[in-house]
Amino acid sequence: MPVRGAAQLSRRLGQKKRLLEAEEPGSDLHGAPTPSPTEPRLGRPASLGPQRSLYFSSSKSCSARLGSEFFDQPAVALAQAFLGQVLVRRLDDGTELRGRIVETEAYVGPEDEAAHSRGGRQTPRNRGMFMKPGTLYVYVIYGMYFCMNVSSRGDGACVLLRALEPLGGLETMRQLRSALRKGTAGRALKDRELCSGPSKLCQALAIDKSFDQRDLAADTAVWMERSALGASEPAVVAAARVGIGQAGEWAQKPLRFYVRGSPWVSVVDRAAEQSTQSGPLASVCSHEAF
DNA sequence: CGGACGATTTTCT
DNA sequence: GAAAATCGTCCGA
């Protein structure tokens, strides 16, 4: 097997560059002058004011942006509460990409042997896990993909977003997902292939390392909107988490949650579905915030 | 400073 | 189903 040529690499990078230029002309995200890797991004107060007032005056409460108080709950509760909510990504050209969260995983903190924060390890990479609830923790996996987490209540605790039901901007998602794929630009991806995995959804929403440590409650390019599960989908499955090995008690714990029967979930666990009790999640359906 | 390893996805057999 | 792709991060020397 010949070593991957520089020509091929640059061609692929060129593809991505072209796409990003098309999607986000005059991007200030990708064109920012060499930010420090650990530089915190805490939103843009200058543009937040006008946008927020416009937002509140033109939107109904059912699509209200979720604030800091929502994210301030323990990881398991937050992982369940995320199901049904809508993740929104606004590209620099104004395009809004939307997806309904259908699968999450809870990483409960230093005692969780499968968490990056296990044993209380705190490094520059996982700092977001220790920041205030609602802070994003985005990290690189396998040298080429990203995973997106939201910090929850509890030091070193967070929730991994694993799958979305794409709701808006599907064609842009398809382009973003296809851009880095190998070979002949291939066939068009099916809708189900857009966001059915933690790194797929990051690709589809153009979430990269520059989103690490941003505040999901305040950022202008990414946020979450309230949209609880409907009565027709009352059941949530609790299953073992994916990709963390089989060994140890923490690998077995049912800390992955997904909407039963949803075709948008990345991995279904039939055995877990047998043993998971059906029933509405009261916390998801409640309206205590309003 | 070097080696091993991923909270994955894609491609090939 | 198996194996490759691909490199930031972490840890031990």
Side-chain angles (χ1 to χ4, degrees):
Chain A
M1 170 85 65
V3 176
R4 173 178 38 72
Q8 183 186 356
L9 178 60
S10 65
R11 183 178 58 78
R12 290 176 61 187
L13 289 174
Q15 278 183 339
K16 165 154 184 152
K17 188 170 184 220
R18 257 178 276 121
L19 178 76
L20 288 175
E21 283 167 350
E23 293 297 332
E24 306 183 88
S27 165
D28 62 334
L29 283 182
H30 303 276
T34 59
S36 144
T38 57
E39 173 189 353
R41 321 268 178 132
L42 299 177
R44 300 170 184 85
S47 61
L48 199 56
Q51 176 169 339
R52 170 164 291 182
S53 56
L54 174 66
Y55 185 75
F56 281 139
S57 65
S58 62
S59 300
K60 297 175 183 173
S61 61
C62 65
S63 62
R65 175 176 187 151
L66 292 167
S68 307
E69 69 287 344
F70 177 81
F71 303 109
D72 185 15
Q73 40 183 324
V76 169
L78 187 62
Q80 296 174 341
F82 274 166
L83 297 178
Q85 315 296 346
V86 175
L87 182 66
V88 186
R89 166 83 166 95
R90 191 188 129 95
L91 302 180
D92 286 343
D93 68 356
T95 304
E96 284 191 1
L97 311 175
R98 321 174 74 83
R100 183 171 169 266
I101 299 170
V102 297
E103 181 184 354
T104 60
E105 282 179 2
Y107 288 85
V108 304
E111 69 270 32
D112 185 345
E113 285 298 320
H116 290 166
S117 57
R118 63 187 170 281
R121 287 173 171 83
Q122 191 171 348
T123 68
R125 176 180 68 150
N126 69 7
R127 173 116 204 292
M129 296 181 79
F130 295 85
M131 294 170 68
K132 78 167 188 176
T135 302
L136 295 184
Y137 167 41
V138 179
Y139 67 91
V140 183
I141 181 91
Y142 291 98
M144 56 184 123
Y145 298 114
F146 299 97
C147 286
M148 175 184 189
N149 303 260
V150 182
S151 177
S152 70
R153 179 188 297 179
D155 241 18
C158 69
V159 175
L160 172 70
L161 303 184
R162 283 198 57 92
L164 309 176
E165 170 188 348
L167 297 177
L170 273 71
E171 290 319 306
T172 301
M173 291 183 187
R174 223 182 303 278
Q175 289 183 62
L176 286 163
R177 287 272 294 124
S178 303
L180 297 176
R181 305 185 94 212
K182 179 181 192 176
T184 63
R187 68 182 212 292
L189 289 165
K190 298 179 171 109
D191 290 356
R192 288 233 265 268
E193 299 174 296
L194 294 178
C195 301
S196 56
S199 296
K200 292 179 185 176
L201 74 86
C202 284
Q203 222 171 43
L205 298 191
I207 299 288
D208 61 22
K209 187 77 173 170
S210 73
F211 283 77
D212 189 39
Q213 297 181 23
R214 292 203 200 188
D215 182 356
L216 193 51
D219 202 85
T220 57
V222 62
W223 63 90
M224 212 176 273
E225 291 178 1
R226 176 174 295 278
S227 177
L229 289 175
S232 60
E233 297 173 300
V236 168
V237 178
R241 293 172 292 184
V242 174
I244 57 172
Q246 338 286 325
E249 56 172 319
W250 283 94
Q252 321 290 335
K253 290 182 184 291
L255 293 174
R256 182 166 69 99
F257 304 97
Y258 66 86
V259 177
R260 185 189 296 264
S262 169
W264 310 102
V265 166
S266 69
V267 179
V268 299
D269 186 331
R270 295 297 175 205
E273 292 185 7
Q274 294 288 333
S275 52
T276 301
Q277 322 176 14
S278 291
L281 272 180
S283 62
V284 170
C285 301
S286 73
H287 296 77
E288 77 259 345
F290 290 97

